Amino acid sequence: MLTDQRASNRIAIIDVGSNSVRLVIFDGMTRAPAPIFNEKVMCGLGRDPEDTGKLNPDGVELAVVAMQRFATLLRAMKVSHVDVLATAAVRAATDGKEFCDRIEAETGLVVKVIDGLEEARLSALGVISGDPRASGVMGDIGGGSLELVLLDQGEIKERVSLPLGAMRLQAVFGSDRARLTAEITRHLDSVDWLQNASGQQLFAVGGSWRSIAKLFIAQEDYPISVVHNLAMPRSEMDELTHIISQQSRVSLEKVGGVSKRRIDSLPHAALVMNMLMARMKPREVIFSGHGLREGWMYEVLPEDLRQRDPLLDACLSFAEDGERFHQHGEELFRWCTPIFSEQPNNLDRLLLAACIIGDIGWNEHPDYRAIQSYNRILRHPYLDLNHHDRVFLAYTIGSRYTGNFKGDASSNRILDEDTRLTGRLFGHAIRLGHTLSGGAEGILSKTALKLEDGKMILEFNKGISTLYGEVVEQRLTKLAKLMNLDSEVRLS
């Protein structure tokens, strides 16, 4: 039964955007927050084809009904803190205040309308929460506006909000390419710092730009369906956005993978990205699942939590929720690190992550532990990893559960043979550590795994030498063989 204390830690944000109204509830303040509830209602508040300057009346009614539902759920879930943030549609509408007053009167929820610069700052913090040293430009396209932020090693240097939202452009300019291009040109030309990010990264935030990534995944049969941290070279994105910007609704529907409510404005969003890239000339585009909501969560965190590694914190939460011996990970990492001393820093971090979640498949059927664990990591929505490292981590854990893990199309397409070998080595080392210790804390610290004179040495304290047996010997021999070494056991 849920304790009152745990329920009282819950916090929530309602994001009232031009396209959608979304409620996200987090089960407390953590460095890598995973929502316990996430619901979006496509209201289209900013859809104003007749250019009245007011909110879409049908959208207002949908939003009120959604907010009534959200308020009831928040009370039932005993959420202690709720922020309701409204962005471009509400701040630009002449009846925006009237809408906010109605929401408060009918639901008790107080809507805070934030300006474009604050929206830009929070969206940038969302990107920074996943990549604390992000450099380049964060671009967040919504229905009503486009926010751009210049980032330098995780610091916000410049920010601007432009009226280049995909839904607004579609409503005002339709398919008039000449006027549309002129409008985008006029606003982008006013941002004189875009060239300062040349050769860096464009962090693409917002549902319309994520839809471009979904189209790519569907069309190219890309092996990972998770959009977050999908990275694509500018050359490919130039071509893709140019093609999408010229497509009709019928053509885009045939490709699939995109919400029907976004299809009409998707060519406009693609054209904005294409013209933005022409000015800032990024090295690559990284599609981010993080944005305003994650930035809001990051800002309310205590400073000590902000300083923690989001990947490792996510792995710790993952382990605590599903492992038998979740305290074992850091001890296991220290134990096997001596045989991997030559690895780059990023692989060192991935090894620690793998050690922390190295027991996640314990309650699966033995025949399926490897592939089930592999798939859980490959498709986990809240791991802040690029796709290469995500596949590597999944492949490492798959190798931890079987001596001859083959992976699938993702690992074979994204990882080269040398990287797969490193994943197998990491996996076999974790497998050996779990076999030797049974997952119990305090045992590995009384042993040592090291390389010496061309051999892999497993050294035991005499008091626990009885832990050495046939299965341990087999797994030690297998690991040494993968590294083209002989193995030896010593008592100290």
Side-chain angles (χ1 to χ4, degrees):
M1 191 171 181
L2 183 70
T3 66
D4 289 340
Q5 176 61 43
R6 184 175 175 188
S8 68
N9 291 332
R10 290 175 172 172
I11 61 176
I13 179 172
I14 300 176
D15 179 2
V16 183
S18 301
N19 249 325
S20 64
V21 175
R22 184 191 292 266
L23 166 64
V24 182
I25 301 175
F26 299 99
D27 199 8
M29 292 188 183
T30 64
R31 182 61 181 84
I36 62 169
F37 185 86
N38 188 335
E39 182 171 300
K40 175 179 68 176
V41 180
M42 299 296 288
C43 300
L45 280 171
R47 191 172 290 114
D48 183 21
E50 296 180 10
D51 198 21
T52 65
K54 294 185 176 183
L55 295 171
N56 171 15
D58 293 336
V60 168
E61 297 308 316
L62 287 172
V64 170
V65 171
M67 296 288 273
Q68 288 171 336
R69 167 176 161 77
F70 292 166
T72 301
L73 289 172
L74 289 164
R75 288 191 294 270
M77 295 184 189
K78 297 182 172 62
V79 176
S80 61
H81 178 85
V82 183
D83 279 340
V84 185
L85 304 183
T87 54
V90 177
R91 70 173 172 254
T94 57
D95 57 347
K97 184 178 184 306
E98 178 185 330
F99 169 78
C100 295
D101 290 343
R102 182 179 172 188
I103 292 297
E104 184 174 3
E106 297 192 24
T107 70
L109 295 168
V110 178
V111 181
K112 178 183 179 182
V113 182
I114 61 174
D115 64 29
L117 292 182
E118 177 65 0
E119 184 178 357
R121 188 183 71 85
L122 288 175
S123 294
L125 286 179
V127 169
I128 291 168
S129 73
D131 182 359
R133 301 190 67 78
S135 290
V137 170
M138 187 288 308
D140 182 1
I141 193 166
S145 63
L146 168 70
E147 280 65 52
L148 298 173
V149 178
L150 181 64
L151 298 172
D152 182 14
Q153 295 294 303
E155 292 187 12
I156 295 173
K157 296 297 185 181
E158 303 279 358
R159 51 186 166 139
V160 67
S161 180
L162 306 172
L164 296 178
M167 193 162 61
R168 174 188 173 271
L169 294 175
Q170 191 272 329
V172 175
F173 300 100
S175 58
D176 189 333
R177 184 86 174 196
R179 291 178 62 222
L180 179 62
T181 302
E183 176 77 353
I184 298 171
T185 297
R186 179 169 68 88
H187 287 291
L188 290 182
D189 283 350
S190 71
V191 186
D192 57 8
W193 46 260
L194 282 175
Q195 66 272 18
N196 294 348
S198 178
Q200 298 187 46
Q201 295 165 318
L202 170 61
F203 299 93
V205 176
S208 293
W209 280 352
R210 284 193 289 271
S211 293
I212 293 174
K214 291 176 182 177
L215 276 176
F216 167 79
I217 289 169
Q219 191 170 25
E220 298 296 322
D221 196 25
Y222 185 74
I224 303 177
S225 58
V226 177
V227 169
H228 183 50
N229 277 337
L230 169 65
M232 294 181 61
R234 177 164 60 96
S235 58
E236 289 188 35
M237 286 306 302
D238 277 338
E239 181 179 2
L240 179 61
T241 53
H242 176 70
I243 291 171
I244 294 174
S245 73
Q246 297 182 317
Q247 297 302 301
S248 67
R249 180 186 181 92
V250 173
S251 298
L252 292 173
E253 282 180 335
K254 289 179 181 178
V255 178
V258 178
S259 165
K260 290 183 179 180
R261 288 180 177 265
R262 294 198 188 277
I263 284 181
D264 287 334
S265 61
L266 191 59
H268 304 75
L271 182 60
V272 171
M273 179 182 282
N274 187 273
M275 295 177 68
L276 174 61
M277 288 190 295
R279 282 157 176 77
M280 69 165 284
K281 296 180 171 54
R283 179 177 74 254
E284 62 182 357
V285 177
I286 297 178
F287 292 92
S288 176
H290 290 183
L292 181 145
R293 293 177 295 275
E294 289 74 20
W296 167 86
M297 181 69 176
Y298 182 69
E299 182 158 69
V300 301
L301 286 178
E303 184 61 28
D304 62 324
L305 286 181
R306 282 202 208 181
Q307 298 304 317
R308 299 181 66 164
D309 186 312
L311 168 64
L312 300 182
D313 259 33
C315 288
L316 284 168
S317 296
F318 203 180
E320 288 170 2
D321 287 343
E323 293 191 6
R324 296 168 295 177
F325 311 112
H326 65 266
Q327 306 93 338
H328 183 55
E330 293 190 25
E331 181 182 41
L332 177 58
F333 173 73
R334 290 191 297 270
W335 179 78
C336 61
T337 294
I339 68 169
F340 299 121
S341 59
E342 301 301 317
Q343 300 299 332
N345 287 339
N346 71 308
L347 288 184
D348 200 49
R349 177 176 179 247
L350 291 175
L351 174 58
L352 176 54
C355 288
I356 292 170
I357 59 174
D359 194 41
I360 63 168
W362 73 272
N363 57 351
E364 302 283 356
H365 187 284
D367 291 348
Y368 298 100
R369 281 176 185 156
I371 194 63
Q372 294 283 57
S373 299
Y374 172 84
N375 283 328
R376 283 178 70 187
I377 297 165
L378 196 67
R379 294 168 173 81
H380 194 286
Y382 307 116
L383 292 178
D384 272 306
L385 287 170
N386 62 46
H387 281 197
H388 178 277
D389 289 353
R390 176 185 286 269
V391 176
F392 177 81
L393 182 59
Y395 188 82
T396 296
I397 299 301
S399 300
R400 172 262 185 272
Y401 280 110
T402 182
N404 192 28
F405 185 64
K406 300 297 185 184
D408 66 357
S410 300
S411 53
N412 293 329
R413 176 171 170 177
I414 292 176
L415 304 180
D416 60 31
E417 179 55 38
D418 287 344
T419 307
R420 290 198 296 273
L421 173 59
T422 301
R424 285 195 292 273
L425 292 174
F426 283 5
H428 280 271
I430 294 169
R431 183 174 171 85
L432 172 61
H434 272 279
T435 301
L436 176 59
S437 66
E441 229 181 339
I443 288 178
L444 291 180
S445 61
K446 297 174 183 175
T447 74
L449 186 66
K450 55 189 179 182
L451 304 180
E452 189 178 295
D453 298 328
K455 290 184 178 181
M456 182 174 293
I457 309 297
L458 177 58
E459 197 169 78
F460 279 88
N461 181 309
K462 288 182 180 179
I464 59 167
S465 61
T466 53
L467 288 174
Y468 186 72
E470 182 181 358
V471 179
V472 174
E473 180 181 12
Q474 289 173 352
R475 291 182 179 172
L476 173 65
T477 302
K478 175 73 172 180
L479 175 60
K481 187 176 179 180
L482 280 172
M483 298 181 74
N484 296 315
L485 299 170
D486 293 327
S487 60
E488 180 182 323
V489 176
R490 292 179 185 171
L491 297 180
S492 61

